[in-house]
Amino acid sequence: MKARILSDAVGDNVDTITGALPKPLRHEHRRRVPRGSRLGLLAIPVGIGIALLGMPGRPLPPPTTAPPAVSIVTGAAPTAAAATVDRHALSRPVDPGVLELGVRRVILDAGHGGDNHGTASATGLQEKTLTLDIALRTRDLIVMKGFDVVMTRTEDAAVSLQERATLANGRHGDIFVSIHLNALRPAAARGIETYYLGPSDSPEHDAIAAVENEESGYSLSDMRTLLDKIYADARRDESRRLATAVQQALIHRVRQIDPDMANRGVKMAPFVVLIATDMPAILAEVSCLSNADEADRLKTPGYRQTLAEALASGIQAFAGAERTQASGS
Amino acid sequence: MLSVGIDLGTSRSAISSSNGEQFVVDSFVGWPADLVARKVLQKDLLVGRDALDNRTMLELHRPLERGLLKEGSDRDVEAARELLRHLLSLVGAKGNKAQPVRAVVGVPAAALRTNKQYLRTALKGVVDSLMIVSEPFAVAYGLNALLHTMIIDIGAGTTDFVVMKGRYPTEDDQRSLTIAGDSIDTYLQKLIQAKYPDAGFTIFMVREWKEKHSFVGEPTDRVVVTVPMSGVPTQIDITDEMRAACESIVAPIVETMLDLLPHVEPEFQERVRKNIILAGGGGLIRNLGPTLERALEKVGGGKIRVIEAPVFCGSDGGLALAKDAQDSDWDRLVN
């Protein structure tokens, strides 16, 4: 028995040296994965492919189908790993005890900036201006709650997605919250949704990711490296819980003003800024600038303050839940 | 050829060598903070207790955090290398080609493959061949407890669990918690500070008090320590704080222990329950074993055995692995 155990220990080390993927589950617990769910993984390179191809201006995502370019990139981008990874193994709950539990430093990312205006309302209200305002308000609120906050930008400056992720990693943030405003079709559509990193199985989500990934600056080679990180990333479960906490807080607060606000839910999509950050990371589409009523509300400081309060509340709820889990109470 | 087993710990690191030598050092590495410190210390580098005792003059590094090498800091990587070099020098490793070193290093059970790759890269050139295994597995191997046994290894940075089923443990067989010795220290420090706001003490003093007086359940004696208060040495009673801090780890450990048991095949669960080994420095918390046994009563009862001399049980296990591995195995693990 000892010899076999020792041989397996050596084999495990050789796998580490050669960079083989971790064995997902031992055979008696391994679940067969329906072919359809494996296809979901391919959506990562698909979405990133969209981003890499670049999209001039900022068109709204197509309502039902992905752009034709998708099929071109699908064949080229997936790594060998993408085809063999057991998605169920990736989504197994992670013991919070193994993860970074104390949330002290929050990285707040105001989407877009500088030449990258983001989306805009029919009246010319720009996403970059609003996300910065909401992020600054959120910063002020969570600093008062005792968190240390690092902003990826504090003025109307162009900051690449890569620079944002590098800053977040370099400053050792405990969580990363990226603030954006959505643009949806038809114009009457609206709602709040929060994303964390994962394979999307919806062309619509891929398209939204592609828009936010614009000007990522990553090469295909960089992308493959980043994708490799996804498969070893145990922080996804943390990110999902952070996304859930923020989404719940946003819906709860906004529905006090607008009971009909649509809850578009917590979703997975391959946003570059989420791939490249090393900590639990989410991207919140806190409102919808393509909707005229929402755009009117966003003009008022009071509404932006409400959104900031909701974000702060969600972050605090997540941090509190983490502490509770960490202390085992 | 020198074979060594190393428990590279967050708080202390131990080494057991095939030449019979064993050492344990505090996992601290420090460089003189400035030219004055350099002149006073007359050394370019201090490791272990030496570093701790002179910490005010040092740029002090604790290269491991929660049992893993801190990532992103070159200085911490260098500190880890120096710590390992220091351990090897203590057991008489010559550090030349004439005497290659084969090392087995224990890491937390839940260390990811990327963590292991990072450690392997960081230790390039320090040892000739390297095998990295989970720390509780090393303990189990050293105790020859390879079948129907649960190891609970309470270290400084992590508490690691493994259920041995007669095979190399998979990730399903293992768990890591960050509730461990350090979290007790931090909590105890907070509690004492709240009760005695004028008392002056450091986390290092708190750790020493814990190692001397830790307990759960009913106290046998009052825990009284001496601290300066406004410069005057004063005795303070920290019995209640000590108990609360030590008991803070009980619930998560019980929860994890009970969570692992149902994963054992039903016919072997009772055998595992009666074969639980408490290892690591945290295992020495007085009355912890009986407390965990009481928690097992609701699932049919069990038996906890406490390793009385836990300092070297991880490194001894690593050494046993290093000695048992064949030359052909080591050829595949060249670092």
Side-chain angles (χ1 to χ4, degrees), chain A residues 113-135:
Chain A
D115 296 339
N116 182 351
H117 299 172
T119 191
S121 71
T123 56
L125 215 49
Q126 291 181 334
E127 182 181 4
K128 65 169 186 174
T129 312
L130 296 167
T131 56
L132 179 59
D133 180 84
I134 295 166

Side-chain angles (χ1 to χ4, degrees), chain A residues 1-2 4-6 8-9 12-13 15-17 20-22 26 28-29 92 95 97-98 100-101 326, chain B residues 66 110 113 117 120 131-132 137 144 146 165-168 171-173 176 178-179 321 324-325 332-333:
Chain A
M1 183 199 302
K2 261 189 153 177
R4 196 183 69 240
I5 289 173
L6 187 54
D8 286 347
D12 186 59
N13 274 265
D15 285 349
T16 301
I17 294 167
L21 282 172
R26 68 176 196 271
E28 61 262 46
H29 283 193
R92 287 174 59 229
D95 175 1
V98 309
E100 186 75 36
L101 293 170
Chain B
R66 300 188 179 100
R113 186 153 284 174
Q117 278 167 335
R120 184 172 279 284
M131 189 191 311
I132 299 172
F137 166 68
N144 209 16
L146 300 175
K165 300 174 178 175
R167 64 174 187 221
Y168 186 66
E171 63 180 79
D172 272 4
D173 304 328
S176 281
T178 50
I179 305 294
L321 278 158
D324 287 351
R332 301 167 70 196
L333 303 175

Side-chain angles (χ1 to χ4, degrees), chain A residues 58-144:
Chain A
R58 182 158 169 164
L60 289 166
T64 51
T65 55
V70 170
S71 60
I72 300 168
V73 181
T74 306
T79 61
T84 55
V85 155
D86 182 332
R87 184 177 172 183
H88 285 242
L90 288 174
S91 61
R92 287 174 59 229
V94 175
D95 175 1
V98 309
L99 297 164
E100 186 75 36
L101 293 170
V103 178
R104 290 179 301 276
R105 177 165 294 171
V106 178
I107 310 290
L108 278 182
D109 175 45
H112 309 281
D115 296 339
N116 182 351
H117 299 172
T119 191
S121 71
T123 56
L125 215 49
Q126 291 181 334
E127 182 181 4
K128 65 169 186 174
T129 312
L130 296 167
T131 56
L132 179 59
D133 180 84
I134 295 166
L136 290 170
R137 290 171 188 274
T138 309
R139 177 193 64 181
D140 294 346
L141 290 168
I142 58 178
V143 162
M144 282 195 292

